[in-house]
């Protein structure tokens, strides 16, 4: 793994494998990512067996699971790469150099990382939707035998939690006659917080008394700026009642519970729309978005909040205008095999290990209720409020 986000995605399905007494799972953090600190904190919270990278690359494994493609050529064993977001949806940021610029590849399908010295590095690439297959086969026809449609365990866990909506609303502290607004911000200058740094303060000042607000922050925000600084920036909003989801808590339950979600064209907003929540974009643009991707569809469907405008009126408007058809269109883009990821990922993993699959059904773990950053000292800052 390269950071907390990729670790979180691996955690969505890893218990399908680690419960097998024939298998020992070890974790390692690849160096060089700007999210490396978030990965260290994630692993510290995991209580798992962790190998330093320089030691991990000395061993041979029966299976290597990754949610990023970088440095996999250093690890000895058949690798299965799975997406750490809503599929391949972003164009890779152009690197430095002295030669002419070329067409930018789509993130998750970078030829130089997937193909090394005339050979495809991973044994398998798992994709959520059959429409994404051509992104890889266009790189080289040899990818035809490597790419497998395995669905999206993150979205499947959220789908299975929809009948528990009232349970999650109670966990947030939303009364029957109240409305839940969820604000989600991706990492970087195109995230909600990057585009509108004062948006949460203004929202909490303007929000009607019968509304509750909760916030989901990308791990990159927590660990690049530091939790202490993030909570300092959110001090006034929290004083007015904003619930801030703890960094490593299950976040999908908040989307299940939400009456409306304000976000940017990241994975969280897409999942919210696919689950049926009215969504409003308050950050991001189409500059780095891949054509035909889920974020591009969000831009076509979802209204944008103009920078500097108050959000409450726009949120109320989108709740009234939101069409179930819009959610259905996003849902259809997220996965072509909804509800099947547990069985497909487990079957592929055991096939790569050349190991007989367990006879018990493959079932993803149910979501835990959302927990929020408490008001205690930073040492106990991740305890539920």
């Amino acid at each position: 793994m390269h950071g907390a986000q990729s670790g979180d995605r691996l955690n969505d399905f890893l218990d399908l494998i680690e419960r097998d007494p024939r298998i020992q799972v070890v974790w390692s953090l690849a160096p060089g990512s700007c999210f490396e600190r978030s990965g260290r904190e994630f692993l510290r919270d995991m209580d798992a067996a962790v190998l330093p990278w320089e030691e991990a690359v000395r061993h041979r494994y029966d299976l290597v699971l990754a949610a990023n493609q970088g440095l996999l050529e250093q690890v000895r064993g058949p690798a299965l790469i799975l997406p750490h977001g809503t599929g391949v949806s972003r164009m890779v940021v152009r690197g430095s150099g002295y030669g002419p610029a070329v067409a930018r590849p789509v993130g998750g399908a970078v030829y130089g990382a997937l193909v090394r010295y005339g050979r495809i590095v991973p044994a398998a690439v798992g994709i959520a939707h059959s429409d994404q297959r051509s992104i890889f086969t266009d790189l080289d026809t040899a990818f035809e035998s490597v790419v497998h449609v395995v669905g999206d365990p993150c979205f499947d866990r959220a789908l299975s939690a929809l009948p528990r909506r009232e349970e999650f609303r109670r966990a947030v502290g939303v009364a029957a006659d109240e409305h839940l607004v969820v604000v989600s911000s991706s990492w970087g200058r195109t995230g909600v917080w990057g585009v509108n740094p004062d948006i949460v303060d203004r929202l909490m000042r303007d929000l009607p008394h019968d509304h509750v607000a909760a916030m989901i922050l990308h791990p990159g925000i927590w660990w690049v700026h530091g939790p202490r600084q993030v909570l300092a920036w959110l001090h006034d909003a929290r004083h007015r009642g904003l619930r801030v989801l703890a960094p490593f808590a299950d976040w999908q339950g908040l989307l299940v519970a939400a009456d409306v979600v304000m976000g940017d064209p990241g994975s969280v907003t897409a999942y919210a729309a696919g689950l049926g929540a009215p969504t409003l974009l308050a950050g991001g643009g189409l500059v780095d978005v891949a054509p035909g991707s889920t974020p591009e569809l969000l831009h076509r469907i979802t209204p944008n909040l103009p920078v500097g405008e108050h959000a409450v009126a726009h949120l109320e408007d989108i709740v009234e205008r939101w069409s179930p058809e819009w959610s259905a269109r996003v849902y259809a883009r997220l996965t072509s095999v909804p509800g099947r990821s547990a069985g497909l990922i487990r079957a592929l993993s055991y096939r790569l290990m050349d190991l007989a699959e367990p006879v018990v059904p493959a079932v993803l773990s149910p979501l835990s209720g959302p927990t929020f950053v408490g008001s205690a000292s930073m040492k106990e800052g991740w305890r539920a409020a």
Side-chain angles (χ1 to χ4, degrees):
M1 57 175 275
H2 288 69
Q5 187 182 17
S6 57
D8 182 57
R9 289 311 173 90
L10 294 173
N11 233 7
D12 275 325
F13 66 88
L14 194 62
D15 57 353
L16 296 172
I17 297 169
E18 66 182 353
R19 292 175 183 172
D20 191 327
R22 299 170 294 174
I23 295 174
Q24 165 70 58
V25 175
V26 296
W27 292 71
S28 190
L29 180 65
S33 169
C34 62
F35 302 131
E36 191 172 336
R37 185 186 170 200
S38 73
R40 289 197 300 270
E41 296 291 340
F42 180 88
L43 289 176
R44 187 175 298 134
D45 197 62
M46 279 279 295
D47 258 354
V50 179
L51 293 180
W53 184 257
E54 59 272 17
E55 181 181 346
V57 296
R58 293 201 297 263
H59 299 289
R60 180 171 293 279
Y61 305 93
D62 296 293
L63 177 66
V64 178
L65 293 169
N68 295 82
Q69 56 194 303
L71 302 183
L72 274 183
E73 75 280 359
Q74 298 182 20
V75 187
R76 294 186 291 169
L80 166 58
I81 300 178
L82 294 160
H84 69 267
T86 52
V88 280
S89 57
R90 297 280 182 171
M91 308 301 291
V92 172
V93 176
R94 185 168 281 125
S96 59
Y98 297 94
V102 298
R104 291 189 298 163
V106 179
V110 180
Y111 187 89
L114 293 170
V115 179
R116 307 284 289 190
Y117 299 102
R119 182 180 294 276
I120 295 175
V121 173
V125 176
I127 56 175
H129 203 293
S130 56
D131 288 350
Q132 297 165 5
R133 182 183 296 276
S134 62
I135 296 173
F136 294 90
T137 55
D138 286 350
L139 297 176
D140 195 298
T141 55
F143 273 98
E144 186 63 46
S145 63
V146 175
V147 177
H148 303 266
V149 180
V150 296
D152 186 334
C154 178
F155 188 51
D156 281 352
R157 291 181 75 206
L159 286 174
S160 66
L162 285 174
R164 300 168 58 201
R165 173 176 161 83
E166 292 306 317
E167 173 189 333
F168 290 120
R169 289 174 67 82
R170 288 193 298 271
V172 180
V174 182
D177 58 347
E178 291 182 320
H179 306 277
L180 175 60
V181 178
V182 173
V183 182
S184 169
S185 182
S186 296
W187 159 250
R189 294 184 178 180
T190 59
V192 167
W193 222 6
V195 174
N196 291 288
D198 63 341
I199 193 169
V200 183
D201 285 332
R202 289 190 285 113
L203 176 68
M204 296 310 296
R205 286 196 297 267
D206 298 342
L207 210 59
H209 293 303
D210 62 346
H211 284 58
V212 175
M215 191 170 195
I216 303 170
L217 294 173
H218 187 282
I221 296 175
W222 282 113
W223 303 113
V224 170
H225 298 294
R228 182 186 179 94
Q229 181 63 75
V230 170
L231 294 179
W233 285 332
L234 289 172
H235 176 271
D236 290 347
R238 291 181 67 211
H239 183 71
R240 290 187 169 92
L242 177 71
R243 280 87 155 155
V244 181
L245 191 75
F248 302 133
D250 280 345
W251 48 269
Q252 298 100 312
L254 266 181
L255 307 184
V256 171
D259 292 296
V260 61
V261 174
M262 180 167 62
D264 43 57
S267 298
V268 175
T269 315
Y271 287 137
L275 291 168
T279 56
L280 175 70
L281 294 184
L286 288 169
V287 176
D288 295 322
V289 172
S293 64
T294 305
E296 186 193 44
L297 177 60
L298 276 178
H299 270 284
R300 293 204 307 267
I301 290 175
T302 305
N304 279 262
L305 175 69
V307 176
E309 287 201 13
H310 293 276
V312 171
H314 290 271
L315 289 170
E316 292 173 347
D317 178 65
I318 193 60
V319 168
E320 290 184 7
R321 293 197 298 116
W322 189 261
S323 167
E325 180 189 347
W326 298 350
S327 287
R329 290 175 63 187
V330 177
Y331 180 108
R333 288 293 313 139
L334 290 171
T335 174
S336 57
V337 285
R340 295 178 54 196
S341 63
L344 291 169
I345 290 174
R346 192 179 75 172
L348 178 57
S349 298
Y350 276 81
R351 192 156 66 246
L352 291 172
M353 290 187 287
D354 194 23
L355 190 64
E357 205 177 340
V359 295
V360 297
V363 180
L364 298 170
S365 293
L367 293 176
S368 299
T371 55
F372 300 96
V373 175
S375 57
S377 68
M378 286 304 299
K379 189 176 290 187
E380 299 194 358
W382 313 142
R383 301 292 182 258

